[in-house]
Amino acid sequence: MTTHHTRPLRLESLAFGGDYNPDQWSEDVWDEDIRLMIDAGVNLVSLPIFSWPQLEPEPGVFDWGWLDRILAKLWHAGIRIDLATATATPPSWLLRAHPEMLPMDAEGHRLEFGSRQAYCPSSPVWRENVARMTRAMAERYGDHPGVVLWHISNEYGDHTSRCWCPVSARHFRRWLKDRYGDLNGLNEAWGVNVWGQRYTSWDHIETPRRAPGPGNPTQLLDFERFSSDALLELFQLEIDVLREITPDIPVTTNFMSMFRDLDYWDFAAVEDIVTDDAYPDPADPIAHVGAALNYGLMRALKGGQPWLLLESSASGTSWRDVNVPKAPGEMRVDSLQAVAHGSDAVMFFQWRQAKYGQEKFHSSMLGHRGERSRTYRETRELGRELQQLREVHGTRVRSRIGLVVDWDSWWGSTAAESLPSQRLNWAHQARAWHRAMHLLGHPVDAVRATGPFDEYDVVLVPNLYIADSAQAAALTSFAEQGGRVVVGPFSGVVDATEKVHDGGAPGPLRDLLGIEVDEHWPHTDGVTEQVTFADAAHDNPFWGEWIDATDKTEVRGCYASGELEGLPAITRRAAGDGSAWYVSAILDDAGLVAIFRDVLAEAGLPARDSLNPDFESLTRSSADTDYTFALNHGREPLTIDVPPGARDLITGATTGASLELGRFGVAVLATPRADQAPFLTLRV
Ligand code: GLA
């Protein structure tokens, strides 16, 4: 796959709007839509995402009239269009003509038509039709002056990210041939002498359907890689058509935050603009902490370039077991959090709340009560407020901390059933490490294990199960040049074919970390051991390791209970001008906070004393101005110390030495750009 030059989005201010489904309404509703959109400050809408059957009711017979008409109305109203290629879901006539296009699950059952995304990503028929539809859309609307962005498909992999059908199996074999060349290569890679799995013909290889016992881990890992690539090919196929016909219009596909099934580094590399759909659960009081890490990934995927929050909810969703609404003010702070994290847009699913279908109970900008609905009042106020924030458009987030996000390690450490413990979960581990940095007051960018690390003082590696020498070399050189690397448990265990590194973990990271892992030591459920760090005991649920530190490595924390009592748990080794830490245990928040506090001090970075997850602050900067966002994600008011003399973009006021942030309160403080971004703290 090639990385293409990034085409800019032709919007001068923050985008505001949402998914728009005019084909679910009679045309007499459209004028009211437009009037209320203008009133709310909407300047961008996404359509027609799921409308293929309405655009091509019969094979080759198109009905463009309704789309022509609504696009004209939007254009005349000054509302720009994120134009979908309408390929998110196939029409029934296509599936009934080609039933082999329906996806199959791991048990061998076909999934039926009646929801959405009922396609096998590898199906040649589907691909051919996707290319045909994309071409038709591009030829018809590529010159439309309102179209500023191509919205390809929708949330790849949301419902169908893996398919185990015979067509997928054939595609999987081709993918494996490309990767391993010949059958010997494959047999060697998959370690087939274990449990008698030697293949003597390519045709004998299947997708890893349900088998009598645990599957071959490398086969499972390759299937994860293949499945991500299969959807990436589909994406690339549309991109190629669009670049041929509309070379100046940027392309995107909307991501689903930190989504396990697709390697978003690969997807972002081929598109122009990263866009994300974010649905933090209002029932979870720290959902915003998870969102912060997701946004740290979104801005990192294209090297810090602003991204777009393309979907979010004005209030409740309709796909959770219980869909708790957002309290008054909560949608605003959620939206401004995304802006704080580098989004140049606040967009929603969807503009007008549906009257029927699967999503009629999903909140929208315009609720069932129309302009009298609370969500409309609140989104309209937000639309106005975003206009006051137009200066932040195009600015970039400043973060000193990188956190390694590596899909191979995520898949490898979770796809197999035969692991030391199923309780070590890549995502939990990454989220826990990020949460500790959030509590200490630092935003975190995602980064690849090979860097680039130039922007960072600290690189966190919560888990790197699959590690190679290039990654080890990049991390080592970062440390030697003065960086701080912190590596988490079960790292450096295997190579890319899941073979254990010679001498065991941490494999290629052994010299950098100055430790050797003798044995992984997971705990059974309900057993929580203790680890001491800086004289305090911390809970160590789920996982420990028997490690030996080599002579130059300091032992900074020890196991304090159980079979590992007295053995090293947390180590630090000086490396050039920097250092490399190893945290062999899974720790509670307090334990991670204590370790990271020391790491930050070593790196010369500030840290908060008072740990309140509700308080978040981070800075977007232009060449001459720092815009520091202060967000209260909770219901209790907070008092924070701020730089005096800052201009609050929202109120227009000039700050004194402190600022009161009410329930779900937000301030955006402009100050001249400084070497280090302002670091705001809570007044206690
Ligand atoms: C996803 C989809 C949308 C809609 C929303 C509802 O983000 O992309 O079409 O279904 O979920 O939350």
Side-chain angles (χ1 to χ4, degrees):
M1 299 281 168
T2 39
T3 306
H4 294 271
H5 172 70
T6 293
R7 288 146 193 84
L9 182 68
R10 288 178 287 120
L11 280 184
E12 269 71 58
S13 54
L14 300 174
F16 180 63
D19 282 17
Y20 183 35
N21 291 303
D23 44 334
Q24 293 176 16
W25 299 90
S26 62
E27 297 200 15
D28 53 323
V29 176
W30 296 358
D31 287 330
E32 186 190 61
D33 283 334
I34 303 279
R35 176 176 67 80
L36 295 176
M37 283 181 191
I38 294 172
D39 187 39
V42 167
N43 58 14
L44 184 69
V45 290
S46 309
L47 77 163
I49 300 175
F50 299 101
S51 305
W52 189 339
Q54 282 84 278
L55 292 168
E56 191 185 11
E58 290 172 50
V61 179
F62 289 92
D63 175 8
W64 300 115
W66 66 270
L67 188 54
D68 291 352
R69 288 193 291 283
I70 189 62
L71 292 187
K73 280 182 192 284
L74 290 164
W75 166 244
H76 287 125
I79 298 164
R80 299 290 178 268
I81 297 141
D82 165 33
L83 192 66
T85 52
T87 55
T89 202
S92 66
W93 51 256
L94 183 59
L95 286 168
R96 291 309 180 228
H98 301 279
E100 79 286 358
M101 240 186 72
L102 285 167
M104 185 177 276
D105 69 12
E107 318 266 314
H109 305 129
R110 289 278 178 195
L111 304 181
E112 243 309 340
F113 182 74
S115 178
R116 60 179 172 183
Q117 238 176 46
Y119 61 78
C120 159
S122 298
S123 159
V125 177
W126 173 238
R127 289 178 174 212
E128 193 185 300
N129 276 276
V130 162
R132 188 179 60 79
M133 186 60 184
T134 303
R135 183 168 293 278
M137 288 293 292
E139 283 173 349
R140 181 138 194 117
Y141 299 111
D143 291 335
H144 195 290
V147 175
V148 292
L149 181 63
W150 279 116
H151 181 298
I152 296 181
S153 187
N154 190 70
E155 292 194 341
Y156 278 117
D158 177 20
H159 306 289
T160 310
S161 67
R162 272 98 185 94
C163 175
W164 288 261
C165 80
V167 174
S168 292
R170 281 201 294 279
H171 190 195
F172 187 37
R173 284 173 213 132
R174 286 199 303 278
W175 184 93
L176 291 165
K177 268 186 202 164
D178 283 348
R179 189 173 179 90
Y180 298 115
D182 57 24
L183 264 187
N184 284 341
L186 175 118
N187 279 323
E188 201 282 322
W190 284 12
V192 290
N193 285 357
V194 177
W195 289 9
Q197 284 170 20
R198 179 159 295 275
Y199 291 96
T200 50
S201 160
W202 285 102
D203 293 340
H204 297 172
I205 298 169
E206 268 297 338
T207 54
R209 294 233 198 124
R210 198 168 153 206
N216 178 311
T218 317
Q219 180 186 10
L220 292 167
L221 172 63
D222 273 344
F223 188 63
E224 302 286 344
R225 291 169 170 151
F226 155 76
S227 299
S228 179
D229 282 356
L231 282 166
L232 180 61
E233 282 178 17
L234 203 48
F235 187 34
Q236 184 70 56
L237 177 150
E238 289 206 43
I239 293 174
D240 290 346
V241 173
L242 296 172
R243 292 244 163 92
E244 178 198 322
I245 303 170
T246 61
D248 298 326
I249 302 179
V251 301
T252 191
T253 189
N254 46 338
F255 291 159
M256 288 176 284
S257 300
M258 199 171 285
F259 177 59
R260 178 190 178 279
D261 289 357
L262 302 182
D263 186 331
Y264 281 156
W265 294 114
D266 292 344
F267 279 70
V270 300
E271 66 181 0
D272 296 300
I273 294 173
V274 170
T275 56
D276 190 38
D277 298 349
Y279 292 94
D281 186 354
D284 173 1
I286 60 161
H288 61 278
V289 182
L293 179 58
N294 300 338
Y295 302 156
L297 172 66
M298 292 305 138
R299 65 174 172 266
L301 284 171
K302 285 192 93 66
Q305 177 182 298
W307 54 282
L308 308 177
L309 175 68
L310 210 59
E311 284 184 30
S312 59
S313 65
S315 186
T317 55
S318 57
W319 41 263
R320 296 188 161 101
D321 281 359
V322 178
N323 297 284
V324 172
K326 290 189 178 175
E330 199 169 3
M331 176 277 288
R332 171 181 181 256
V333 69
D334 279 0
S335 303
L336 295 179
Q337 183 194 19
V339 176
H341 279 272
S343 172
D344 271 357
V346 175
M347 308 270 292
F348 296 89
F349 176 85
Q350 60 178 325
W351 161 251
R352 186 184 276 277
Q353 188 166 13
K355 199 173 164 53
Y356 51 88
Q358 288 90 328
E359 300 190 291
K360 60 182 174 293
F361 299 120
H362 195 293
S363 66
S364 298
M365 297 171 81
L366 191 63
H368 286 143
R369 283 178 80 207
E371 58 191 302
R372 293 193 313 283
S373 58
R374 178 178 71 93
T375 53
Y376 183 66
R377 286 200 307 275
E378 289 193 28
T379 50
R380 185 179 52 185
E381 277 165 32
L382 177 69
R384 301 213 163 128
E385 215 164 61
L386 289 177
Q387 289 168 16
Q388 292 162 250
L389 297 183
R390 59 189 321 138
E391 279 178 57
V392 305
H393 175 261
T395 58
R396 288 174 173 235
V397 172
R398 296 170 77 176
S399 163
R400 312 300 306 164
I401 319 285
L403 181 144
V404 168
V405 173
D406 181 77
W407 265 270
D408 245 20
S409 285
W410 193 349
W411 292 329
S413 63
T414 51
E417 291 163 80
S418 30
L419 289 160
S421 167
Q422 297 288 339
R423 303 290 175 273
L424 192 137
N425 174 302
W426 186 93
H428 289 176
Q429 188 52 17
R431 294 209 175 277
W433 281 41
H434 164 262
R435 192 163 59 240
M437 274 300 173
H438 170 91
L439 288 167
L440 289 163
H442 284 277
V444 168
D445 288 351
V447 65
R448 281 177 190 262
T450 45
F453 302 132
D454 332 345
E455 302 282 316
Y456 308 119
D457 297 311
V458 175
V459 170
L460 305 178
V461 189
N463 169 266
L464 197 64
Y465 167 64
I466 299 178
D468 64 24
S469 53
Q471 294 165 333
L475 291 164
T476 303
S477 119
F478 169 70
E480 285 175 351
Q481 287 165 40
R484 269 72 203 174
V485 180
V486 192
V487 177
F490 204 46
S491 291
V493 182
V494 297
D495 67 13
T497 60
E498 284 218 63
K499 296 201 178 56
V500 173
H501 285 295
D502 289 341
L509 299 168
R510 194 173 303 138
D511 290 345
L512 171 65
L513 299 172
I515 56 114
E516 291 186 0
V517 178
D518 192 84
E519 243 177 316
H520 298 119
W521 210 282
H523 315 149
T524 192
D525 288 348
V527 172
T528 293
E529 300 294 358
Q530 301 284 300
V531 163
T532 48
F533 179 79
D535 297 330
H538 297 287
D539 278 350
N540 164 223
F542 308 124
W543 183 275
E545 289 175 7
W546 184 308
I547 60 174
D548 284 329
T550 52
D551 28 302
K552 293 228 176 72
T553 305
E554 292 168 61
V555 175
R556 298 292 294 263
C558 285
Y559 290 97
S561 67
E563 289 296 333
L564 301 183
E565 188 171 353
L567 293 178
I570 300 148
T571 62
R572 177 189 176 280
R573 182 181 157 269
D577 296 332
S579 63
W581 293 64
Y582 187 58
V583 180
S584 67
I586 290 189
L587 290 175
D588 60 8
D589 285 1
L592 290 171
V593 162
I595 298 166
F596 293 171
R597 193 183 283 290
D598 277 14
V599 173
L600 291 171
E602 217 188 87
L605 293 174
R608 283 191 197 142
D609 292 325
S610 153
L611 308 176
N612 182 336
D614 288 348
F615 177 43
E616 183 177 23
S617 170
L618 69 163
T619 302
R620 288 180 72 159
S621 302
S622 67
D624 51 18
T625 309
D626 286 329
Y627 299 98
T628 302
F629 286 69
L631 306 121
N632 178 3
H633 292 279
R635 289 169 168 82
E636 298 303 319
L638 301 174
T639 307
I640 51 171
D641 288 314
V642 294
R647 176 173 49 99
D648 185 338
L649 258 47
I650 295 180
T651 61
T654 304
T655 53
S658 75
L659 188 77
E660 185 87 4
L661 284 180
R663 164 193 161 109
F664 301 130
V666 181
V668 184
L669 307 177
T671 48
R673 184 176 171 131
D675 286 347
Q676 296 282 336
F679 188 79
L680 307 190
T681 49
L682 276 181
R683 183 166 283 191
V684 273

